[in-house]
Amino acid sequence: MIERLKESGGAAFGFRVLGKLTDEELKAFEPQLEFFIAQRKKHPIGILADLTEMRGTEWKACWEDMRFLQKHTDHIARMAVVGAHGWDALAAMITSGAAILQSETRYFDSSEIQHAWQWARTAKYAEELPVREISPATGIWKNYRPEFMDV
């Protein structure tokens, strides 16, 4: 199940994933995010994805997520990923999210959710927290060059 977080508003949209994420749930939730993006017109938003209670993802949901985020890459400036249990949930989020490739993405522990909201809204970061950058704003593939390109 996906639920919109009540703190959403202004320049940031937040949601929480509970249990295993399915493509049906993702498709049903997309209109809420699309409406939020449309309200901001051409101003990019921050996204807060609370994965604290997420228990996995169907591959079809990953594909749907990639399709949706790729469509809205220009509208997403930054993404705060909160409380993913282990690297498997975080890896699923990264590999399925094309928007992550062009937006700055940071990881926050579930105890740091207020800081995650602040960063998603303003891109300002509390100095006492460690910076856990998943992807720089330039994208993880910027300046990528295959090893054997000249062979």
Side-chain angles (χ1 to χ4, degrees):
M1 179 170 114
I2 307 171
E3 61 182 24
R4 180 178 177 164
L5 297 173
K6 65 181 189 292
E7 298 88 352
S8 295
F13 183 92
F15 62 91
R16 176 180 303 134
V17 178
L18 304 165
K20 188 169 186 171
L21 182 62
T22 67
D23 68 313
E24 292 88 14
E25 293 167 345
L26 199 56
K27 286 178 185 176
F29 188 75
E30 284 177 2
Q32 290 185 55
L33 186 51
E34 286 181 329
F35 181 75
F36 188 84
I37 289 170
Q39 285 182 315
R40 295 283 302 160
K41 301 193 168 76
K42 295 188 187 251
H43 300 285
I45 65 168
I47 291 181
L48 184 141
D50 185 349
L51 306 181
T52 305
E53 297 180 47
M54 183 171 134
R55 301 292 176 248
T57 307
E58 292 179 353
W59 277 107
K60 199 170 180 183
C62 290
W63 182 257
E64 183 64 26
D65 184 40
M66 183 173 64
R67 182 203 56 77
F68 178 83
L69 292 175
Q70 191 171 34
K71 177 181 169 185
H72 295 289
T73 295
D74 293 339
H75 305 113
I76 301 169
R78 61 200 156 273
M79 185 177 289
V81 177
V82 178
H85 289 288
W87 285 103
D88 54 342
L90 192 53
M93 184 75 174
I94 291 170
T95 56
S96 67
I100 292 173
L101 300 177
Q102 294 184 15
S103 66
E104 186 173 1
T105 305
R106 293 188 179 179
Y107 173 79
F108 295 83
D109 188 68
S110 54
S111 66
E112 302 166 339
I113 195 160
Q114 293 306 318
H115 296 289
W117 272 115
Q118 175 187 354
W119 184 76
R121 286 186 181 108
T122 65
K124 293 181 181 170
Y125 200 74
E127 291 183 22
E128 68 273 12
L129 291 177
V131 175
R132 298 181 205 99
E133 189 171 66
I134 296 172
S135 172
T138 56
I140 60 175
W141 299 113
K142 183 172 173 60
N143 298 325
Y144 171 75
R145 182 182 163 108
E147 291 179 38
F148 303 106
M149 195 164 176
D150 297 325
V151 176

